[in-house]
Amino acid sequence: MSVHSSDIKRVTTHIIQEMKTRGEKITCLTAYDYSMAGIVDAAGVELILVGDSASNVMAGHETTLPITVDQMIYHAQSVVRAVKRALVVVDLPFGSYQGNSREALSTAIRIMKESGAHAVKLEGGLEVKESIMRILSAGVPVMGHLGLTPQSIYKFGTYTVRAKEDAEAQKLLDDAALLQEIGCFSVVLEKIPSKLSQKVTESIQIPTIGIGAGQHCDGQILVLHDLLGINKTFKPRFLRQYADLNSIMTDAISNYITDVKSKSFPNEKESY
């Protein structure tokens, strides 16, 4: 008898694989702190990504490049403390794995030991094969990431859709097959044509998690602050905004300011 993800006490990489096999969609969101991670976990997503998008969302940087390993560990620790059910994946930040597989392994082990997370994520295919294999050899689960890889933004020069041309599309297909072959448990497909993501999803056995990659992926991921409408400036085509917390929070803070100024807060019941 197959067990659905909603019945699981703790989601594992094995369960994520089972979900693809039976056609159950996988849900994934980012989280960077204890309070938000607890809400996301309790709501029932299967995967929580402690993304290097914390560089943008939490620290206000223009790109994901500035965030450090120490900062990623801090965010991951905060998230893991709150999570009781979801599988927690942590991004290896820029410069901590490219071109040096020994450093990649050292970074992955540090993140796993110091944060208590369950897996790591790396951007790239063939070019980071050695790093991924070394991390996997230590028993650390790895999620891949193909398509638009934000850590390579200065190489691309733009955040536009990737793999529209035949050569890049074929490389992505080859890289996806490679990631599966060397042992990745899943792969994120970011901002690629829907038909290509369908082709990738059907050509490999490991789950695909899409962001701006259409409906054919085995699962979907969004940045939590974008989904909740906290960040009003980022409105890509692929984003569905499920709330307008920016307005709700602004109104609440404005009401607080008004009440303090008018001396209606705190009142007698709110005093000791």
Side-chain angles (χ1 to χ4, degrees), residues 11-27:
V11 178
T12 64
T13 56
H14 179 68
I15 287 162
I16 296 299
Q17 182 62 57
E18 283 186 333
M19 290 176 70
K20 168 160 181 152
T21 302
R22 65 171 175 264
E24 181 183 354
K25 293 290 187 180
I26 301 158
T27 56

mmCIF file of all heavy atoms in Angstrom, residues 11-27:
data_model
loop_
_atom_site.group_PDB
_atom_site.id
_atom_site.type_symbol
_atom_site.label_atom_id
_atom_site.label_comp_id
_atom_site.label_asym_id
_atom_site.label_seq_id
_atom_site.Cartn_x
_atom_site.Cartn_y
_atom_site.Cartn_z
ATOM 1 N N VAL A 11 9.490 13.718 6.027
ATOM 2 C CA VAL A 11 9.720 13.523 4.598
ATOM 3 C C VAL A 11 11.200 13.237 4.364
ATOM 4 O O VAL A 11 12.068 13.911 4.911
ATOM 5 C CB VAL A 11 9.276 14.764 3.784
ATOM 6 C CG1 VAL A 11 9.562 14.559 2.303
ATOM 7 C CG2 VAL A 11 7.787 15.033 4.003
ATOM 8 N N THR A 12 11.469 12.225 3.551
ATOM 9 C CA THR A 12 12.837 11.842 3.216
ATOM 10 C C THR A 12 13.020 11.887 1.697
ATOM 11 O O THR A 12 12.060 12.008 0.942
ATOM 12 C CB THR A 12 13.135 10.417 3.703
ATOM 13 O OG1 THR A 12 12.281 9.499 2.997
ATOM 14 C CG2 THR A 12 12.893 10.280 5.204
ATOM 15 N N THR A 13 14.271 11.729 1.252
ATOM 16 C CA THR A 13 14.536 11.690 -0.187
ATOM 17 C C THR A 13 13.821 10.496 -0.822
ATOM 18 O O THR A 13 13.372 10.572 -1.965
ATOM 19 C CB THR A 13 16.046 11.586 -0.461
ATOM 20 O OG1 THR A 13 16.580 10.441 0.207
ATOM 21 C CG2 THR A 13 16.767 12.826 0.031
ATOM 22 N N HIS A 14 13.705 9.407 -0.083
ATOM 23 C CA HIS A 14 13.007 8.217 -0.586
ATOM 24 C C HIS A 14 11.530 8.523 -0.838
ATOM 25 O O HIS A 14 10.953 8.105 -1.858
ATOM 26 C CB HIS A 14 13.145 7.069 0.426
ATOM 27 C CG HIS A 14 12.445 5.811 0.021
ATOM 28 N ND1 HIS A 14 12.850 5.042 -1.049
ATOM 29 C CD2 HIS A 14 11.349 5.198 0.535
ATOM 30 C CE1 HIS A 14 12.045 3.995 -1.174
ATOM 31 N NE2 HIS A 14 11.125 4.068 -0.232
ATOM 32 N N ILE A 15 10.931 9.278 0.065
ATOM 33 C CA ILE A 15 9.514 9.640 -0.085
ATOM 34 C C ILE A 15 9.325 10.574 -1.281
ATOM 35 O O ILE A 15 8.351 10.449 -2.028
ATOM 36 C CB ILE A 15 8.986 10.260 1.223
ATOM 37 C CG1 ILE A 15 8.812 9.157 2.275
ATOM 38 C CG2 ILE A 15 7.667 11.008 1.005
ATOM 39 C CD1 ILE A 15 8.718 9.649 3.689
ATOM 40 N N ILE A 16 10.263 11.505 -1.478
ATOM 41 C CA ILE A 16 10.196 12.407 -2.635
ATOM 42 C C ILE A 16 10.219 11.592 -3.934
ATOM 43 O O ILE A 16 9.478 11.877 -4.884
ATOM 44 C CB ILE A 16 11.389 13.403 -2.604
ATOM 45 C CG1 ILE A 16 11.302 14.319 -1.380
ATOM 46 C CG2 ILE A 16 11.445 14.225 -3.883
ATOM 47 C CD1 ILE A 16 10.071 15.189 -1.319
ATOM 48 N N GLN A 17 11.060 10.562 -3.961
ATOM 49 C CA GLN A 17 11.145 9.696 -5.144
ATOM 50 C C GLN A 17 9.837 8.931 -5.350
ATOM 51 O O GLN A 17 9.343 8.811 -6.481
ATOM 52 C CB GLN A 17 12.306 8.704 -4.986
ATOM 53 C CG GLN A 17 12.499 7.784 -6.181
ATOM 54 C CD GLN A 17 12.828 8.533 -7.466
ATOM 55 O OE1 GLN A 17 13.806 9.273 -7.512
ATOM 56 N NE2 GLN A 17 12.018 8.369 -8.499
ATOM 57 N N GLU A 18 9.267 8.434 -4.261
ATOM 58 C CA GLU A 18 7.999 7.701 -4.344
ATOM 59 C C GLU A 18 6.887 8.593 -4.891
ATOM 60 O O GLU A 18 6.011 8.128 -5.633
ATOM 61 C CB GLU A 18 7.600 7.176 -2.964
ATOM 62 C CG GLU A 18 8.360 5.942 -2.517
ATOM 63 C CD GLU A 18 7.815 5.395 -1.216
ATOM 64 O OE1 GLU A 18 7.247 6.182 -0.413
ATOM 65 O OE2 GLU A 18 7.949 4.171 -0.990
ATOM 66 N N MET A 19 6.912 9.866 -4.513
ATOM 67 C CA MET A 19 5.885 10.804 -4.972
ATOM 68 C C MET A 19 5.929 10.938 -6.491
ATOM 69 O O MET A 19 4.897 10.959 -7.156
ATOM 70 C CB MET A 19 6.046 12.156 -4.290
ATOM 71 C CG MET A 19 5.702 12.132 -2.809
ATOM 72 S SD MET A 19 6.003 13.716 -1.989
ATOM 73 C CE MET A 19 4.709 14.732 -2.718
ATOM 74 N N LYS A 20 7.134 11.030 -7.054
ATOM 75 C CA LYS A 20 7.245 11.099 -8.516
ATOM 76 C C LYS A 20 6.697 9.823 -9.148
ATOM 77 O O LYS A 20 5.950 9.872 -10.124
ATOM 78 C CB LYS A 20 8.699 11.291 -8.959
ATOM 79 C CG LYS A 20 8.872 11.066 -10.470
ATOM 80 C CD LYS A 20 10.096 11.675 -11.059
ATOM 81 C CE LYS A 20 10.121 11.401 -12.571
ATOM 82 N NZ LYS A 20 10.830 12.397 -13.336
ATOM 83 N N THR A 21 7.051 8.691 -8.574
ATOM 84 C CA THR A 21 6.660 7.395 -9.127
ATOM 85 C C THR A 21 5.141 7.259 -9.233
ATOM 86 O O THR A 21 4.620 6.743 -10.229
ATOM 87 C CB THR A 21 7.227 6.252 -8.262
ATOM 88 O OG1 THR A 21 8.659 6.378 -8.216
ATOM 89 C CG2 THR A 21 6.867 4.896 -8.841
ATOM 90 N N ARG A 22 4.435 7.753 -8.209
ATOM 91 C CA ARG A 22 2.968 7.607 -8.240
ATOM 92 C C ARG A 22 2.259 8.850 -8.788
ATOM 93 O O ARG A 22 1.034 8.910 -8.824
ATOM 94 C CB ARG A 22 2.437 7.256 -6.855
ATOM 95 C CG ARG A 22 2.610 8.315 -5.794
ATOM 96 C CD ARG A 22 1.855 7.947 -4.520
ATOM 97 N NE ARG A 22 2.141 8.915 -3.473
ATOM 98 C CZ ARG A 22 3.056 8.760 -2.531
ATOM 99 N NH1 ARG A 22 3.798 7.667 -2.489
ATOM 100 N NH2 ARG A 22 3.252 9.691 -1.615
ATOM 101 N N GLY A 23 3.045 9.872 -9.209
ATOM 102 C CA GLY A 23 2.439 11.037 -9.838
ATOM 103 C C GLY A 23 1.874 12.067 -8.885
ATOM 104 O O GLY A 23 1.080 12.919 -9.291
ATOM 105 N N GLU A 24 2.288 12.016 -7.612
ATOM 106 C CA GLU A 24 1.839 13.031 -6.648
ATOM 107 C C GLU A 24 2.780 14.224 -6.715
ATOM 108 O O GLU A 24 3.993 14.087 -6.579
ATOM 109 C CB GLU A 24 1.827 12.462 -5.224
ATOM 110 C CG GLU A 24 1.346 13.477 -4.194
ATOM 111 C CD GLU A 24 1.395 12.967 -2.754
ATOM 112 O OE1 GLU A 24 1.689 11.777 -2.539
ATOM 113 O OE2 GLU A 24 1.154 13.786 -1.841
ATOM 114 N N LYS A 25 2.237 15.407 -6.936
ATOM 115 C CA LYS A 25 3.053 16.613 -7.064
ATOM 116 C C LYS A 25 3.758 16.952 -5.748
ATOM 117 O O LYS A 25 3.199 16.798 -4.661
ATOM 118 C CB LYS A 25 2.200 17.798 -7.516
ATOM 119 C CG LYS A 25 1.666 17.671 -8.936
ATOM 120 C CD LYS A 25 2.761 17.802 -9.979
ATOM 121 C CE LYS A 25 2.176 17.855 -11.388
ATOM 122 N NZ LYS A 25 3.230 17.988 -12.427
ATOM 123 N N ILE A 26 4.976 17.457 -5.877
ATOM 124 C CA ILE A 26 5.820 17.803 -4.731
ATOM 125 C C ILE A 26 5.779 19.320 -4.533
ATOM 126 O O ILE A 26 5.944 20.081 -5.491
ATOM 127 C CB ILE A 26 7.268 17.348 -4.989
ATOM 128 C CG1 ILE A 26 7.326 15.835 -5.217
ATOM 129 C CG2 ILE A 26 8.185 17.755 -3.831
ATOM 130 C CD1 ILE A 26 8.562 15.372 -5.970
ATOM 131 N N THR A 27 5.552 19.752 -3.299
ATOM 132 C CA THR A 27 5.511 21.191 -3.012
ATOM 133 C C THR A 27 6.770 21.611 -2.257
ATOM 134 O O THR A 27 7.224 20.927 -1.345
ATOM 135 C CB THR A 27 4.269 21.574 -2.189
ATOM 136 O OG1 THR A 27 4.235 20.804 -0.978
ATOM 137 C CG2 THR A 27 2.997 21.311 -2.984
#
